[in-house]
Amino acid sequence: MRQAVNSGRRFYKMSGSGNDFVVFDSRDANARDLESVDTVKALSARGTGVGADGVVFLEPRQEDSFQIRYYNSDGSRGELCGNATLCALRLAYDTAMVDAEEVSIQTDSGVVTGRMAAGRPEIDFAPVSEVRDTVAEIPRLTRETCLGFARAGVPHIVILDEDVRTADILGRGSRIRRDPSLRDGANVNFVAQIDGRWYTRTYERGVEGETLACGTGAVATAILLSVWGRAGDRVTLRTRSGRDLEVRLRETGGVWHPSLRGPAEIVFKGELGDVLDLGAESPSA
C-alpha cells in the first residue's frame, strides 16, 4: 500500500566533494519516523525524490558533541561515511548546534573528533589497524599494480590501476564488492597517478554504483598508498567530481591514525512534500 510520510519536514541538501546527502536536523522536528528503508529509498531516488547518495540525521548531545545516523541510498544503515560526516560537521557549526573549537561526533563506527581547519571541516578517524597490502583471494588484472584492503570505518578494497579514466568501475567494482572472501562486502576504490597527481574513483557499497567521491575510501586509499611505498603521510586525492580530499596520516606500531579534510556545502534548504513509499508495486507500463 502506498502511503505518504509527513510533509512539511525541513531538510538540507548537502554535497561533500560530489557525494550528496539529504540531511535532517532533529531540532526542527523529530525525524525518527523517517528512518525506514522505504522512506530513505524514496528520499534518495533521483527524479522522484530529493535525490542523494544517502540520508543523514543529526542530533545534538552537548555544546561540544552531536550524533549522526547515516543511511545509504538503498536504505541500509552505514557505519560511517566520511563525506557525510564532513557535511554534518559543517552543518552543526553553521547552525550553532556546536560551538566548541573541537567536537565529538558519535557514529555507528564509534566516536570521531572534528574541527574546522583552513575553512573546511576536518575529522580524525578512529585508529585503523585492519590493513592488508595484498588480498590473495582476489587476483589482480594485468593493468593493476597493487590490490589491498583497509577497514576505515567501513571495508574497502583499493586497487592501484594504470589509468582510472579507463578502469571498469561498474563491472569490476560490482564483482569485487560482492566477492565471497569479503565477509561484509566492500567499497572498491581505483587509484592512479596521472601527471603527478593522484586520481581516485569508487564503486560504493549501499549505493551500488559509482559515486563522485568517497571519504572513507580516500582514507583507505591514502593508507595503502603509504603501505605500498607510493605516498607519504600527506595525500591529496582528486575525486571524480574534480574536488580534492586531503588525508593526513600518522602510523604507530602498525596502527594508522588518519585525518580527512574536504569541501562540504549546503546546496539548498527545502521542505518535504508527499514523499511516497516507492517500494510499493506500480502498474506495468
Side-chain angles (χ1 to χ4, degrees):
M1 176 179 180
R2 297 169 72 92
Q3 58 182 3
V5 301
N6 292 336
S7 61
R9 298 292 183 85
R10 288 186 291 176
F11 67 89
Y12 296 83
K13 178 66 180 290
M14 299 194 70
S15 176
S17 298
N19 268 154
D20 59 337
F21 309 100
V22 179
V23 185
F24 292 93
D25 180 342
S26 67
R27 294 172 300 174
D28 290 337
N30 186 351
R32 281 188 177 270
D33 58 333
L34 300 178
E35 296 185 52
S36 71
V37 171
D38 288 335
T39 300
V40 168
K41 290 169 70 174
L43 289 168
S44 302
R46 302 189 187 277
T48 55
V50 181
D53 292 328
V55 179
V56 186
F57 297 89
L58 272 69
E59 286 193 12
R61 286 291 179 255
Q62 299 173 349
E63 63 182 15
D64 62 350
S65 65
F66 63 95
Q67 178 187 26
I68 66 171
R69 296 183 300 282
Y70 174 72
Y71 293 85
N72 295 302
S73 61
D74 67 357
S76 61
R77 185 83 169 250
E79 304 99 308
L80 181 68
C81 175
N83 282 319
T85 307
L86 292 176
C87 285
L89 180 61
R90 162 71 74 179
L91 185 62
Y93 275 117
D94 285 358
T95 62
M97 180 179 286
V98 293
D99 61 6
E101 183 174 333
E102 192 163 89
V103 300
S104 297
I105 307 165
Q106 178 67 53
T107 74
D108 282 6
S109 70
V111 176
V112 301
T113 303
R115 69 195 66 82
M116 297 299 294
R120 288 185 169 183
E122 180 181 67
I123 55 174
D124 301 331
F125 277 55
V128 177
S129 58
E130 192 176 344
V131 178
R132 288 187 280 160
D133 61 352
T134 61
V135 181
E137 298 88 346
I138 303 176
R140 288 186 287 110
L141 302 182
T142 302
R143 61 180 290 152
E144 297 170 352
T145 305
C146 304
L147 188 153
F149 175 90
R151 187 178 293 273
V154 294
H156 287 272
I157 290 289
V158 178
I159 298 171
L160 181 56
D161 191 87
E162 65 183 16
D163 191 341
V164 294
R165 294 171 295 189
T166 58
D168 183 11
I169 308 298
L170 295 181
R172 182 142 171 81
S174 63
R175 288 190 294 273
I176 292 176
R177 176 259 182 274
R178 296 173 175 82
D179 192 274
S181 68
L182 302 168
R183 71 174 188 271
D184 302 317
N187 292 350
V188 185
N189 307 273
F190 299 78
V191 61
Q193 193 170 45
I194 303 170
D195 297 329
R197 179 188 292 274
W198 289 109
Y199 288 81
T200 183
R201 295 174 65 185
T202 300
Y203 183 95
E204 194 157 340
R205 181 189 70 162
V207 176
E208 305 310 332
E210 183 177 7
T211 55
L212 293 180
C214 180
T216 56
V219 168
T221 298
I223 290 172
L224 280 160
L225 286 175
S226 184
V227 168
W228 293 330
R230 304 297 179 122
D233 59 2
R234 291 179 179 265
V235 183
T236 300
L237 295 156
R238 176 64 53 89
T239 66
R240 184 69 190 275
S241 70
R243 294 171 172 83
D244 290 340
L245 286 168
E246 304 166 62
V247 182
R248 291 187 293 110
L249 298 171
R250 179 171 57 86
E251 186 265 338
T252 55
V255 177
W256 296 86
H257 303 268
S259 298
L260 173 70
R261 182 171 63 179
E265 296 111 10
I266 298 172
V267 181
F268 62 84
K269 304 173 187 178
E271 187 174 283
L272 293 183
D274 292 337
V275 180
L276 294 176
D277 176 356
L278 299 184
E281 292 185 5
S282 57
S284 300

